[in-house]
Amino acid sequence: MSGSRTSRTSRTLRRWLAAPAVAVVAGGGLLAVAPAEAHVVETGRGHHGGDRPGWRLVADEDFSRPFTTAGAEWILDENGVDDRWTIDALDDDGEAWRAISDPAFSDALETFDVYRQQVRLGEDGWLTAELASVDADLDGEPDSEPTLSTVRMDGSRERALLIDEPQWNSGAILRPTDALPAEYRVEVTLRSLDFGGKSTGSFLDGDRYNGYDADRECMTGYPWTFRGALADTSRCEYGDVRAENGFYYLAILDHANPAPHGNPGIHHRRKVIMDGYYADVVGQYGDYATCDPATGELFSSADSNYVGLNAIFIRGDSFMSGQNNIGNHYQFETACGSADSIDRFGDEDQYSRILTSAELQPELMPEQSYTFAVERRDGAYTIEYSGPFEHIGQATFRFTREFVEDGIPIWHYNQTAAEYDGAFDQDLTLTGAAGAYTLESVWPEGSAYPDSFIVGDPHLNYYEGSATIDDVRLYVPDDRARR
């Protein structure tokens, strides 16, 4: 990548939608955990060219032109106003939280403000940077200023986009300005990563713990929990966030206007995820496992470097009681096989909740990089990830699930009403200290949910660090391949 490279982009959204599909993507069912060498489809350097076989490149951002959100206007998010950031009852000021935890929740909202930035970038503004930050002292300015800015990579003339989030009580993501086409491939390259995990075998690294400032006080997830605000609990009495850090390498959400929000709400809005959850919580929330892609065997995540990749298709028919029926259950895909967060897994059912697909090696970046891609095509989603993973080295993995496979749907897969008949609709009841709230008909017949991708940290009350991304590309099926 250099400043002389020519950026390629879409001409119009209409042209994105016009390209028909070509080949059927091979599927992989819900399997017992077992070696799955067939999933390793490529080794060596990843693809960095233009068009791909069967795909036509319609938008491409290589960040060769200088860009920064620094200096952009911070806009006060006015609670209760139907604006560009409104989604549903699980919004930051949502009626669900008020119903299950007022007066604690409404009182909590009076103690801080949220400021936002929304800045377009890329040719024709096809990408949007979304940033948010809490103003806890109500002085009219955000407590910290996360930024998205182009930077020179170490020892190189190449530029990439730095996502810098200096405090946990803020969020920063990159998303498409418009909803994605009916069928697409979207991919992004990760050039550096510093959002926590172990360094030389320890979560403590100088004055940082798991990527957070180890000495800063009152670092909590206030006020959003899965059961609403906590009664008679001050900001600093909420749970400390430092055990849990993370980053979304690439995820598909079910609405067209993603932005950073309180942690629980996003758990109800995801379709497909590739993320890192760098969490020193093994045994607390579940007995997490990690896949060794070289041997096809599982081991306890307590023995990992805690800089993993979770490759997840979100279930549309089952919800976690531990997340108050807000968060869906997961379908994990790895080179060791597949697993479901509903069940225990492993040779002796010794693991539960999370199965991590592979471990990244941040120390190898930026000389080496990772590429993540999601495809939606021919009634299925495909996850693909490439890079120099722990144990196996450079490799590429692909996993595909049909929209409904073995009777299990991917959450809100339908972009149009015609794609879905209401078969998995249900009501979900949330409970809290003040009472109950029912999310009625969460997936009705006649509904439609556009696809949008995010890269970064969408959690307004968790995660802290920085990462650098490059080469964000959008493809549509190439109708020339059908001739």
Side-chain angles (χ1 to χ4, degrees):
M1 179 184 68
S2 71
S4 62
R5 277 177 44 180
T6 301
S7 183
R8 300 184 60 181
T9 189
S10 62
R11 295 297 176 259
T12 64
L13 181 60
R14 179 174 53 81
R15 286 187 61 188
W16 291 357
L17 301 175
V22 285
V24 174
V25 181
L30 179 63
L31 308 174
V33 173
E37 291 85 356
H39 291 312
V40 184
V41 299
E42 180 184 335
T43 58
R45 297 299 296 171
H47 176 90
H48 292 284
D51 290 346
R52 289 174 167 272
W55 295 100
R56 178 168 56 88
L57 184 64
V58 293
D60 176 18
E61 180 54 51
D62 63 12
F63 306 107
S64 58
R65 299 177 182 178
F67 169 82
T68 183
T69 58
E73 179 185 6
W74 283 101
I75 303 168
L76 176 65
D77 187 350
E78 300 182 65
N79 288 337
V81 175
D82 188 358
D83 60 15
R84 72 187 87 173
W85 294 290
T86 298
I87 306 172
D88 55 28
L90 298 176
D91 283 346
D92 295 339
D93 60 337
E95 60 180 314
W97 311 125
R98 297 182 190 275
I100 66 176
S101 63
D102 261 353
F105 184 71
S106 292
D107 290 345
L109 290 185
E110 296 298 319
T111 69
F112 66 96
D113 285 329
V114 173
Y115 285 86
R116 298 185 177 275
Q117 286 181 338
Q118 187 180 80
V119 185
R120 291 190 179 187
L121 66 151
E123 194 166 338
D124 297 331
W126 79 280
L127 295 171
T128 294
E130 289 276 3
L131 303 105
S133 186
V134 167
D135 172 15
D137 56 12
L138 296 173
D139 66 353
E141 296 182 355
D143 293 347
S144 68
E145 295 197 16
T147 56
L148 271 63
S149 302
T150 51
V151 294
R152 298 284 189 187
M153 300 305 298
D154 291 344
S156 172
R157 295 179 58 194
E158 297 180 349
R159 279 196 180 97
L161 186 72
L162 174 67
I163 301 173
D164 184 35
E165 190 177 354
Q167 286 191 186
W168 85 104
N169 56 352
S170 59
I173 63 168
L174 184 71
R175 67 169 176 91
T177 299
D178 299 315
L180 294 172
E183 294 191 311
Y184 61 82
R185 173 187 169 93
V186 60
E187 65 184 36
V188 62
T189 297
L190 182 70
R191 299 293 303 276
S192 72
L193 180 66
D194 186 11
F195 264 88
K198 285 183 178 179
S199 176
T200 62
S202 173
F203 280 103
L204 187 63
D205 183 13
D207 60 354
R208 316 218 30 108
Y209 179 82
N210 195 20
Y212 293 98
D213 184 338
D215 299 321
R216 188 190 296 131
E217 297 180 352
C218 196
M219 296 176 61
T220 73
Y222 175 88
W224 297 285
T225 78
F226 283 97
R227 297 191 181 274
L230 305 178
D232 302 319
T233 305
S234 70
R235 178 189 304 272
C236 296
E237 292 173 324
Y238 275 65
D240 193 290
V241 302
R242 283 173 287 197
E244 301 171 70
N245 213 338
F247 186 79
Y248 282 67
Y249 309 120
L250 182 62
I252 305 299
L253 305 190
D254 68 354
H255 56 287
N257 59 326
H261 292 285
N263 169 262
I266 193 176
H267 288 75
H268 197 70
R269 300 165 180 151
R270 305 175 297 182
K271 298 187 184 189
V272 178
I273 311 171
M274 282 181 285
D275 75 344
Y277 179 50
Y278 323 131
D280 186 16
V281 294
V282 174
Q284 178 180 348
Y285 298 150
D287 300 311
Y288 301 167
T290 297
C291 171
D292 179 339
T295 65
E297 298 179 351
L298 304 184
F299 61 93
S300 172
S301 293
D303 298 321
S304 74
N305 68 2
Y306 282 89
V307 188
L309 161 68
N310 304 309
I312 308 170
F313 297 97
I314 300 298
R315 288 189 64 150
D317 62 336
S318 182
F319 297 82
M320 298 184 189
S321 59
Q323 292 186 354
N324 205 13
N325 295 323
I326 295 168
N328 311 58
H329 275 286
Y330 303 144
Q331 297 281 144
F332 295 101
E333 300 295 346
T334 79
C336 301
S338 305
D340 192 317
S341 64
I342 294 176
D343 304 316
R344 299 192 68 85
F345 48 89
D347 294 340
E348 300 178 356
D349 291 335
Q350 67 268 47
Y351 302 117
S352 66
R353 182 106 187 267
I354 290 180
L355 173 56
T356 295
S357 299
E359 296 166 271
L360 278 63
Q361 302 182 84
E363 65 274 13
L364 301 181
M365 297 188 277
E367 287 78 13
Q368 300 188 58
S369 60
Y370 296 86
T371 297
F372 307 94
V374 175
E375 298 171 4
R376 185 184 196 272
R377 192 171 189 177
D378 295 320
Y381 283 98
T382 296
I383 287 173
E384 179 184 296
Y385 50 95
S386 304
F389 298 103
E390 189 79 43
H391 307 294
I392 198 170
Q394 187 71 34
T396 297
F397 300 89
R398 285 175 61 87
F399 303 95
T400 296
R401 281 193 70 86
E402 296 176 2
F403 292 161
V404 181
E405 187 167 307
D406 297 330
I408 299 173
I410 295 173
W411 175 240
H412 284 177
Y413 66 79
N414 56 306
Q415 291 186 354
T416 67
E419 293 178 300
Y420 171 70
D421 62 3
F424 302 101
D425 190 25
Q426 59 181 297
D427 296 342
L428 297 173
T429 298
L430 321 180
T431 59
Y437 181 88
T438 298
L439 299 170
E440 297 181 349
S441 196
V442 295
W443 197 359
E445 182 179 5
S447 61
Y449 304 92
D451 282 25
S452 187
F453 70 79
I454 63 168
V455 181
D457 169 26
H459 299 311
L460 188 52
N461 56 336
Y462 276 85
Y463 300 173
E464 177 178 311
S466 65
T468 310
I469 64 171
D470 198 1
D471 295 326
V472 180
R473 294 190 169 112
L474 176 64
Y475 300 82
V476 296
D478 188 354
D479 57 357
R480 294 171 297 184
R482 301 175 67 93
R483 297 172 184 168

